[in-house]
Amino acid sequence: MADPTLLILPGDGIGPEVMEQVVRIIDWFGEKRDLKFDVKIDLVGGAAYDAHGTPLTDETMDRAMKADAVLLGAVGGPAYDDLDFSVKPERGLLRLRKEMDLFSNLRPAQCFDALADFSSLKKDIVAGLDIMIVRELTSGVYFGEPRGIQDDNEGGRIGVNTQRYTTNEIRRVARSAFELARRRNNKVCSMEKANVMESGILWREEVTWVHENEYPDVELSHMYADNGAMQLVRAPKQFDVIVTDNLFGDILSDCAAMLTGSLGMLPSASLGAPGENGRPNAMYEPVHGSAPDITGQGKANPIACVLSFAMALRYSFDQGDEATRLEKAVEKVLENGARTPDLMGLDGGTPITTVQMGDAILGALNASL
Ligand code: IPM
Ligand code: MG
């Protein structure tokens, strides 16, 4: 059988640096675990704009549709701030999500024991934290029409975006949250603003419908998203799976990520419906952005990107044991005190570089054999 295909899109800023470490790890799995991938590397975001005048070419889009999984670094940077909205780096990422129909975005926030001291919250509030945010990724205000900026004909302007959700869009992301909950602690908390938004009322009703008709065994609660943000910093361990819309999910997942100490640690998976071969369209990317302030200095933490590849092993390639091997290797290097600059602070010491963190993870992988 042909090797599964992986399309790698390093993108902008620290994307290429962190992805370089992931490529070393992919090679390790090929050599040592006979898990070989057919890897192709391509451009996205500002890098694609510089080369082709668009943040994502049709050819790259086509390759992404055909790949068994896509691994993306990060997009964006100050060099592209003044570009027309339609060709901004972020448009490349949003096109991938939309055209691949990656409606279910899994953003785990897990606190590694070795890092509990790095959280801005007290250690006992975050130690052992393990929550999963399921963010709807292909609809809502990110894509709703009408949208745009227009003249109000009185000398001013009007900016318009539309929050829009259909029954089907809500039900399918709710199902993926309930499925995940069944394999975890069996609890889902749905977040919206049903107190002020009709789309929030529909969200609550449809999530409840899916619960009653298909997943009555899972515990379901509802929360207004503002209260959810407050509860996330007050007592995050009350949650297991959180399901929410595209915009609230964007905000709440940054908040949840930071509970764990550093944005440089958090991976994500964006999944579509399973295709004919049982495999969903899938893209994996770190939650952090392109971090232009530290680009090219060897300071970037590659762990979020490495853990995104671990999620690919688990969710696209049915290699749960190998995913766990990689996650344990990361845990090990953190226990041993390996720290990129984002993880410095409380326990002092000398930070290591992006490449050295890659070396350390490879070392721990070798030790795992
Ligand atoms: C994210 C990012 C993106 C988003 C940006 C880069 C378009 O913040 O993945 O969370 O808003 O979805
Ligand atoms: Mg975000």
Side-chain angles (χ1 to χ4, degrees), residues 86-317:
S86 64
V87 290
K88 277 196 187 294
E90 291 78 5
R91 304 311 302 169
L93 175 60
L94 294 173
R95 180 174 175 202
L96 283 163
R97 291 174 177 173
K98 187 70 178 174
E99 290 192 24
M100 291 172 76
D101 203 21
L102 306 173
F103 61 87
S104 178
N105 179 214
L106 279 41
R107 299 190 159 190
Q110 233 169 326
C111 187
F112 288 87
D113 283 344
L115 296 183
D117 280 322
F118 291 85
S119 176
S120 45
L121 298 188
K122 293 194 192 82
K123 185 173 179 171
D124 60 314
I125 293 187
V126 293
L129 178 74
D130 178 6
I131 61 184
M132 177 72 88
I133 298 197
V134 179
R135 167 190 178 192
E136 199 292 325
L137 202 61
T138 52
S139 185
V141 77
Y142 271 59
F143 297 97
E145 301 279 350
R147 64 186 297 161
I149 301 178
Q150 64 207 51
D151 288 330
D152 69 356
N153 297 323
E154 291 172 19
R157 296 187 298 161
I158 307 172
V160 179
N161 287 96
T162 302
Q163 166 80 331
R164 183 179 183 279
Y165 270 106
T166 66
T167 296
N168 177 45
E169 286 168 346
I170 301 168
R171 288 188 184 178
R172 64 182 186 170
V173 73
R175 285 188 186 103
S176 77
F178 287 123
E179 288 292 337
L180 277 165
R182 275 186 178 161
R183 284 181 268 139
R184 296 170 46 96
N185 295 318
N186 219 36
K187 278 197 324 190
V188 171
C189 181
S190 170
M191 296 187 186
E192 27 58 14
K193 285 283 290 177
N195 51 346
V196 284
M197 298 165 77
E198 285 80 357
S199 59
I201 295 175
L202 187 73
W203 183 279
R204 188 174 285 220
E205 289 176 359
E206 294 301 342
V207 172
T208 303
W209 188 94
V210 173
H211 177 244
E212 282 171 1
N213 289 280
E214 299 173 17
Y215 299 90
D217 53 300
V218 180
E219 189 185 316
L220 172 67
S221 59
H222 302 274
M223 222 178 245
Y224 297 140
D226 53 343
N227 181 28
M230 190 268 274
Q231 296 296 337
L232 268 175
V233 290
R234 190 186 74 84
K237 283 190 257 181
Q238 69 185 285
F239 298 113
D240 178 23
V241 175
I242 293 172
V243 63
T244 189
D245 79 9
N246 204 342
L247 182 61
F248 294 139
D250 180 41
I251 298 166
L252 293 170
S253 64
D254 263 29
C255 173
M258 202 57 210
L259 296 175
T260 67
S262 169
L263 260 185
M265 299 291 303
L266 275 281
S268 82
S270 306
L271 307 174
E276 277 162 28
N277 57 5
R279 226 174 243 164
N281 270 351
M283 180 161 74
Y284 300 87
E285 50 176 314
V287 170
H288 65 68
S290 57
D293 52 322
I294 58 164
T295 297
Q297 303 168 32
K299 289 183 180 168
N301 182 352
I303 290 179
C305 204
V306 169
L307 292 176
S308 297
F309 175 61
M311 289 187 90
L313 289 173
R314 177 169 291 119
Y315 293 105
S316 282
F317 302 117

